Amino acid sequence: MNTKSIVKLLSKLISCKSLTPEDDGCQKFIAEYLESLGFEIEFKKNGDVINLIARYGKDSPVFAYVGHTDVVPTGNLDKWISNPFELTEIDSKLYGRGTSDMKGSVACILISIKDFINSNKDFKGSLMVILTSDEEGPAQNGIKRLVNDGDLTKHNIDMCLIGEPSSKKVLGDTIKNGRRGSLSGKITIQGIQGHVAYPHNAMNPIHAFSPTLNDMVTKKYDKGNKYFPPTSFQISNLNSGVGASNIIPGQLTMDFNFRYSTETTCDKLMSDIHQIMDSSKLKYNIEWHHSGDPYLTVKKDLLNSCIKATKAVLDINPEITTDGGTSDGRFIAKICDQVVEFGLINESIHKINEHTTEKDLLNTTKVYSQILKNIFESA
Ligand SMILES: [Zn+2]
């Protein structure tokens, strides 16, 4: 393994203008690279999205690397220090769209897989690389579709490493072993509009709803666990009234969101809210929107391999968290009970002048190589 080969590979990937959901030849190039190492290649096209499923070996355990080749738009080109689609080194930083999120990680895994196969010809197990060009966009035709259509079922994946940029300040300071779920609701409460001087002819939904609202806010939905903070209930909008000071409003609407842990479920939270509402005797209606289940990796093999590798290569004790937005982990976790996210520093992702460094690329490659060794040595 040397820095030159990683940088060469990355500059090829950066030169593909793979603005989501475009792939612009990235996956074809990667497929040829993996094919030359002995991987079997399958492309799965869903609408305008291309997905790559590559596998080496037939035995278990099956280790899969999951990532994406699409990138977010560049923003104002004049503000870039260099052409975002040409990997450019300035003051020991490597600039380009996708360097951190996440073509850099893809380049690192490709090099570490090549090294691993070359020095462990007869290892017991299988390696997979699964890539989509629809992670930065609506994320409907990528990993979500592959999982829902059963395209990955036959592979019986045991462990899944997602190469998203998990590191915060220094490479390896953070590993993610899950993400919280998200459930939103819009509640509408019917009252009876009237004159403030004649309240007996009206029904004020603000007054009627107040105790119920307090019940919702003060309820402990769960206590969380070692990896998740307690489920949080947050109101984002509360509207009632027509603006006049002499009118009792006829309706109230409220938007709320749960960020929830693995100690509860989407169904349980919906029934919690309905229970509170039903005990109020209010006339109401709720529209629900569920954007993702939480996932958590409690089985230790992959997580331990990642922690051990980070300590060995970087001499750092990573924080294990479930924070941040959503990732493709929420989809793949439905078919695999070990999903861990580890990658480059996320400070410049989605920004103008996204960058990484040669040193971080080399170290990420070393960590990935060590993870592979840890997994297959103990298998
Ligand atoms: Zn990403």
Side-chain angles (χ1 to χ4, degrees):
M1 156 192 333
N2 62 59
T3 320
K4 241 183 172 173
S5 56
I6 308 168
V7 171
K8 194 176 156 208
L9 230 165
L10 179 56
S11 52
K12 171 66 195 168
L13 297 178
I14 296 290
S15 73
C16 301
K17 286 189 180 166
S18 56
L19 293 163
T20 190
E22 287 302 320
D23 170 70
D24 197 33
C26 262
Q27 290 180 25
K28 189 171 167 279
F29 169 77
I30 294 165
E32 283 166 6
Y33 178 99
L34 290 171
E35 207 166 21
S36 76
L37 299 177
F39 274 74
E40 276 181 35
I41 305 296
E42 186 188 348
F43 283 109
K44 200 86 208 181
K45 200 150 195 282
N46 294 326
D48 52 3
V49 170
I50 188 158
N51 302 290
L52 169 68
I53 305 171
R55 177 166 179 155
Y56 182 97
K58 297 205 158 31
D59 302 326
S60 63
V62 180
F63 167 90
Y65 173 89
V66 172
H68 60 89
T69 49
D70 58 332
V71 295
V72 293
T74 57
N76 189 345
L77 282 173
D78 295 339
K79 293 198 171 159
W80 277 78
I81 198 166
S82 58
N83 177 354
F85 296 105
E86 192 182 312
L87 189 68
T88 309
E89 182 168 4
I90 300 164
D91 294 336
S92 30
K93 283 180 183 156
L94 291 165
Y95 291 89
R97 177 53 91 220
T99 43
S100 296
D101 187 10
M102 59 179 276
K103 290 175 175 176
S105 166
V106 172
C108 295
I109 198 74
L110 293 179
I111 299 285
S112 52
I113 282 175
K114 186 179 185 176
D115 281 358
F116 181 79
I117 291 177
N118 285 339
S119 46
N120 298 276
K121 281 262 178 298
D122 299 315
F123 77 97
K124 190 184 170 300
S126 301
L127 291 170
M128 288 186 74
V129 174
I130 303 165
L131 297 171
T132 180
S133 64
D134 181 26
E135 199 276 339
E136 300 288 10
Q140 294 301 312
N141 286 320
I143 304 301
K144 184 181 181 183
R145 268 288 289 278
L146 296 183
V147 169
N148 289 348
D149 291 355
D151 295 320
L152 301 174
T153 317
K154 65 173 179 210
H155 291 290
N156 293 313
I157 300 167
D158 295 292
M159 292 167 226
C160 201
L161 177 69
I162 298 182
E164 289 289 357
S166 62
S167 303
K168 289 174 181 165
K169 294 282 172 210
V170 229
L171 183 71
D173 61 3
T174 311
I175 293 178
K176 292 191 178 172
N177 68 331
R179 303 262 187 158
R180 290 187 293 179
S182 175
L183 169 69
S184 298
K186 187 187 198 70
I187 222 165
T188 305
I189 290 156
Q190 288 306 328
I192 300 168
Q193 188 174 320
H195 195 300
V196 290
Y198 302 92
H200 51 279
N201 289 334
M203 200 284 270
N204 190 327
I206 303 176
H207 293 200
F209 184 51
S210 297
T212 314
L213 177 62
N214 188 50
D215 291 346
M216 283 179 188
V217 173
T218 51
K219 183 175 167 66
K220 301 273 174 275
Y221 293 90
D222 62 50
K223 291 189 184 133
N225 53 38
K226 197 176 158 198
Y227 297 104
F228 287 91
T231 290
S232 98
F233 170 84
Q234 289 298 320
I235 297 165
S236 51
N237 289 289
L238 182 63
N239 296 302
S240 190
V242 292
S245 58
N246 60 354
I247 294 177
I248 292 172
Q251 188 176 287
L252 178 150
T253 59
M254 182 178 90
D255 296 298
F256 59 93
N257 175 267
F258 283 109
R259 287 297 154 118
Y260 65 99
S261 78
T262 45
E263 295 297 305
T264 183
T265 62
C266 174
D267 286 346
K268 173 79 172 62
L269 290 171
M270 291 198 279
S271 97
D272 285 347
I273 289 295
H274 278 289
Q275 214 170 30
I276 295 174
M277 286 307 299
D278 290 342
S279 64
S280 72
K281 301 201 173 68
L282 289 164
K283 259 195 187 166
Y284 74 96
N285 169 54
I286 306 181
E287 286 167 46
W288 294 102
H289 176 71
H290 183 221
S291 25
D293 284 314
Y295 78 88
L296 176 68
T297 292
V298 282
K299 242 177 136 181
K300 290 289 198 261
D301 309 355
L302 177 61
L303 187 58
N304 276 346
S305 297
C306 293
I307 296 170
K308 259 171 68 185
T310 313
K311 280 182 186 163
V313 176
L314 305 169
D315 193 23
I316 196 171
N317 226 337
E319 188 195 352
I320 313 300
T321 72
T322 56
D323 62 3
T326 52
S327 77
D328 275 339
R330 70 194 142 143
F331 305 125
I332 207 91
K334 292 195 193 307
I335 54 158
C336 174
D337 63 359
Q338 296 195 59
V339 179
V340 173
E341 303 185 24
F342 175 81
L344 290 156
I345 296 173
N346 57 33
E347 220 167 5
S348 70
I349 64 169
H350 294 211
K351 291 184 182 169
I352 284 177
N353 295 327
E354 179 178 348
H355 60 270
T356 185
T357 62
E358 282 190 1
K359 189 176 159 223
D360 281 354
L361 289 171
L362 182 63
N363 281 333
T364 301
T365 309
K366 284 183 183 168
V367 173
Y368 287 166
S369 297
Q370 192 59 48
I371 291 171
L372 294 178
K373 271 185 215 153
N374 292 348
I375 286 169
F376 292 107
E377 263 169 16
S378 60

